[in-house]
Amino acid sequence: MTLNLSWIDDFMALAESGNFSRAAAERHMTQPAFSRRIRALEEWLGVDLFDRSSQPARLTAAGEWFRRASQELQAHVARVPVEARAVAAASERTLRIAATHALSFSFLPGWLRGVEDAGHLGPIQLDSDGMQKCETLLLTGKVELALIHGHPQVKSSLDELGYEYAVVGRDRLVPVSVPGGDGQPKHRLEADGTVVGEGLTYGEDSGLGRLLRELKGRDYLKVVSQSVLTAQLASVLRTMALDGRGMAWLPEILVRDDMQAGRLVAAASEDWALALEVRLYRGRAPLGASGQLLWTGAIGASPLRGPGSQSRWLNQG
């Protein structure tokens, strides 16, 4: 014998009134037919749900438990069509991704090529912005995935709310400057935090600036106090650094080609570099086929939340 879901509605009607005749009328059937359906449910469960020796009929202990279970089951069944439509819509829609400017220019193109080796992603809508705006786009459901920098010791708003992420690459923030005539940095950062030349730093609302403030503390604030220019975006600071306007902390993945070509050089010791993770966060709504392909590749065989997650494309940064 298998469960007939309509028996649940029969049971709830009788549990509400305790009267077989009234419940049968509510369910638009004769009392004998209604009673047979209640008995069939009890036989399927293997327990009596009602004490029929009293009027009105009362729920047994098992009946009380089953009423709670039935309420949960009815709620779940009611959600099924809505969730099914959401999944169907997700499979048809364009994949929406938010990525910081720095990662959009440098990391994202090569990473997507690696993902597409495993399957076609279809149309993608990319929102490229600052880190905080990317977090907001994911929080408000305007994108399905967000690619941003992170660090295990600094919690973002997404981390605070328990959003899942996978680490898909590694990067560093490194102080760089154009070289002078002798090949040495035109602007440099001393061990004590003194800037020789000019300094370029991130604004208060910058995500990378937040990481530097949290992890470098007073040392970074000392550099900020000597800054001649602030900006929210790493791409803007890179342009200013290439123009010779000062020393700036920039994602290594963004300036790798510049450093290999000698347009920029390290402007401080390795102690001033800051190791970062490249993280892919997912939203709470069901992912479409393309989003699921991207996410499955990012997390590997088993989904993990937090810095323990790994990826088959790890260390592209």
Side-chain angles (χ1 to χ4, degrees):
M1 181 186 296
T2 58
L3 174 66
N4 184 332
L5 287 177
S6 64
W7 294 346
I8 303 297
D9 296 327
D10 298 337
F11 165 79
M12 293 298 285
L14 183 56
E16 181 68 25
S17 68
N19 186 288
F20 277 82
S21 297
R22 192 180 310 160
E26 182 181 332
R27 297 290 294 151
H28 306 290
M29 64 184 74
T30 65
Q31 181 177 335
F34 180 81
S35 297
R36 286 194 297 271
R37 289 165 67 90
I38 294 296
R39 181 56 70 186
L41 175 61
E42 291 176 319
E43 289 176 359
W44 180 78
L45 288 168
V47 296
D48 288 333
L49 298 174
F50 294 93
D51 179 0
R52 293 168 172 78
S53 65
S54 63
Q55 290 297 329
R58 293 182 304 189
L59 288 169
T60 62
E64 289 286 0
W65 169 84
F66 190 67
R67 176 159 59 179
R68 294 190 295 272
S70 295
Q71 290 170 336
E72 295 174 5
L73 182 59
Q74 285 180 319
H76 179 74
V77 169
R79 291 196 303 270
V80 166
V82 176
E83 293 177 359
R85 288 192 292 271
V87 170
S91 65
E92 298 170 357
R93 65 173 175 247
T94 297
L95 175 60
R96 298 167 300 161
I97 304 175
T100 61
H101 284 291
L103 292 174
S104 298
F105 297 150
S106 55
F107 181 86
L108 185 64
W111 180 61
L112 285 178
R113 283 196 301 272
V115 176
E116 287 176 330
D117 289 341
H120 180 60
L121 288 175
I124 296 174
Q125 176 185 316
L126 174 64
D127 287 289
S128 184
D129 215 307
M131 188 185 298
Q132 290 187 351
K133 181 62 179 296
C134 289
E135 292 174 358
T136 299
L137 288 171
L138 191 70
L139 287 169
T140 56
K142 294 180 179 177
V143 298
E144 298 162 82
L145 299 165
L147 189 69
I148 62 177
H149 282 100
H151 193 281
Q153 296 178 22
V154 180
K155 286 188 176 294
S156 68
S157 56
L158 298 175
D159 298 323
E160 295 287 354
L161 294 171
Y163 277 71
E164 280 187 302
Y165 71 82
V167 177
V168 296
R170 305 288 177 181
D171 198 5
R172 298 193 309 159
L173 276 179
V174 291
V176 294
S177 165
V178 294
D182 57 358
Q184 297 301 306
K186 180 179 178 181
H187 310 274
R188 68 180 188 274
L189 181 60
E190 300 290 350
D192 64 356
T194 300
V195 177
V196 178
E198 308 291 353
L200 310 173
T201 53
Y202 294 95
E204 287 292 325
D205 295 330
S206 165
L208 291 176
R210 179 182 66 199
L211 292 171
L212 283 166
R213 288 193 301 274
E214 291 285 339
L215 296 166
K216 292 298 183 181
R218 293 180 180 177
D219 292 334
Y220 177 67
L221 293 179
K222 183 176 181 180
V223 177
V224 171
S225 69
Q226 304 168 73
S227 175
V228 297
L229 183 146
T230 63
Q232 303 301 322
L233 303 176
S235 55
V236 174
L237 291 185
R238 170 182 172 269
T239 300
M240 293 298 177
L242 285 169
D243 196 45
R245 294 181 178 272
M247 178 279 302
W249 262 284
L250 293 172
E252 191 171 42
I253 195 171
L254 181 64
V255 296
R256 180 178 293 149
D257 290 345
D258 296 321
M259 297 184 75
Q260 290 176 349
R263 293 186 293 269
L264 292 173
V265 295
S269 68
E270 280 294 312
D271 293 340
W272 286 101
L274 180 63
L276 297 177
E277 298 170 342
V278 179
R279 297 176 174 181
L280 182 70
Y281 285 85
R282 66 169 291 169
R284 298 273 169 79
L287 294 173
S290 296
Q292 193 60 52
L293 175 63
L294 201 61
W295 179 250
T296 301
I299 62 177
S302 58
L304 297 173
R305 172 176 297 169
S309 57
Q310 297 290 308
S311 165
R312 72 182 71 172
W313 299 289
L314 197 62
N315 296 324
Q316 279 204 15

